[in-house]
Amino acid sequence: MSSALNRLQGKLGYSFRDPELLLLALTHRSFAGRNNERLEFLGDAILNFIAGEALFQRFPQAREGQLSRLRARLVKGETLAILARGFELGEYLRLGSGELKSGGFRRESILADALEALIGAIYLDAGMQAARERVLAWLNSEINDLTLVDTNKDPKTRLQEFLQSRGGELPHYDVVDIQGEPHCRTFFVQCSIALLNEKTNGQGASRRIAEQVAAAAALTALGLENERVENGHD
């Protein structure tokens, strides 16, 4: 196996017994007839099961609808693409010339699909427990940031709606620092709104999470105590 693929395995935290499975997971349909679409199908099913199981255990009092909404947020393409970018997965994808020219290695859908294909490949390579360990490790920060408090609307949405209802300007988010290695970065974000004299801060494993934390802090600073992001039960 090439040194490049060895680096990728280091970022993923998993070494394949069958290198061909890894290559197949990285092969887009534009590159070859034998590609990662079947692995993506399998990985999607496995991801949904693992995420559902984790949420079932984490929120024992949650209702079915709440669990479904949380799982949808956890496994959506945006979340998967952020993880894939953290692994610099685009650099290892095998794409056809057309996709390469159009920047397919940066496209959210292609990155998310490839990550699902990797989950399917890990399952075939070593079984469900290995797949579960990797998925839970990758999604640990996202799972820890989930809450049953208003699962329909995240803090950024609630803050925006609160400001709009009062005719205020929309919040502004700035990334002020990024720390850590590519596979385990921490993003530091500041949120600025006209109603507060001071900026609020947030940090997380992705820019999106850090922005949500900063928005939740702004809601609290505005006196909306029950808008706080908390990990708890109904």
Side-chain angles (χ1 to χ4, degrees), residues 58-79:
R58 179 173 176 79
F59 300 107
Q61 297 179 21
R63 298 182 296 277
E64 184 269 342
Q66 290 176 304
L67 291 173
S68 294
R69 287 191 293 270
L70 288 174
R71 183 176 61 182
R73 287 168 56 185
L74 197 58
V75 304
K76 65 182 180 179
E78 179 188 357
T79 302

Side-chain angles (χ1 to χ4, degrees), residues 17-34:
R17 301 171 186 175
D18 181 358
E20 289 301 315
L21 282 171
L22 173 57
L23 284 174
L24 185 60
L26 298 173
T27 303
H28 187 257
R29 64 177 178 270
S30 63
F31 185 87
R34 186 169 182 267

Side-chain angles (χ1 to χ4, degrees), residues 6-187:
N6 284 331
R7 285 196 300 274
L8 174 59
Q9 290 181 106
K11 295 173 184 178
L12 297 173
Y14 180 80
S15 294
F16 279 84
R17 301 171 186 175
D18 181 358
E20 289 301 315
L21 282 171
L22 173 57
L23 284 174
L24 185 60
L26 298 173
T27 303
H28 187 257
R29 64 177 178 270
S30 63
F31 185 87
R34 186 169 182 267
N35 54 62
N36 63 8
E37 287 186 330
R38 283 171 53 84
L39 285 177
E40 174 204 335
F41 168 81
L42 182 60
D44 175 69
I46 294 167
L47 172 62
N48 274 276
F49 171 76
I50 294 171
E53 180 186 50
L55 294 169
F56 183 86
Q57 294 172 350
R58 179 173 176 79
F59 300 107
Q61 297 179 21
R63 298 182 296 277
E64 184 269 342
Q66 290 176 304
L67 291 173
S68 294
R69 287 191 293 270
L70 288 174
R71 183 176 61 182
R73 287 168 56 185
L74 197 58
V75 304
K76 65 182 180 179
E78 179 188 357
T79 302
L80 300 182
I82 288 171
L83 288 173
R85 291 189 182 103
F87 299 136
E88 298 178 305
L89 192 57
E91 296 183 10
Y92 303 92
L93 295 179
R94 300 204 294 176
L95 302 171
S97 58
E99 285 292 350
L100 280 173
K101 290 176 182 176
S102 64
F105 57 91
R106 291 190 297 266
R107 191 168 300 137
E108 182 177 287
S109 60
I110 289 179
L111 290 170
D113 290 348
L115 193 68
E116 288 181 335
L118 282 169
I119 293 169
I122 291 172
Y123 168 77
L124 292 179
D125 194 58
M128 179 59 82
Q129 187 55 34
R132 180 185 287 109
E133 288 175 358
R134 282 300 85 210
V135 169
L136 294 180
W138 297 345
L139 291 175
N140 181 61
S141 295
E142 282 78 7
I143 292 173
N144 287 337
D145 283 334
L146 290 175
T147 171
L148 289 182
V149 178
D150 193 358
T151 55
N152 281 317
K153 296 178 181 178
D154 57 48
K156 284 183 66 177
T157 301
R158 298 201 299 272
L159 178 60
Q160 178 173 319
E161 290 180 351
F162 172 80
L163 295 174
Q164 287 176 326
S165 71
R166 284 153 182 77
E169 295 181 4
L170 294 181
H172 183 75
Y173 300 91
D174 290 302
V175 177
V176 295
D177 194 15
I178 302 175
Q179 298 179 7
E181 298 298 319
H183 64 284
C184 57
R185 286 177 174 162
T186 300
F187 291 76

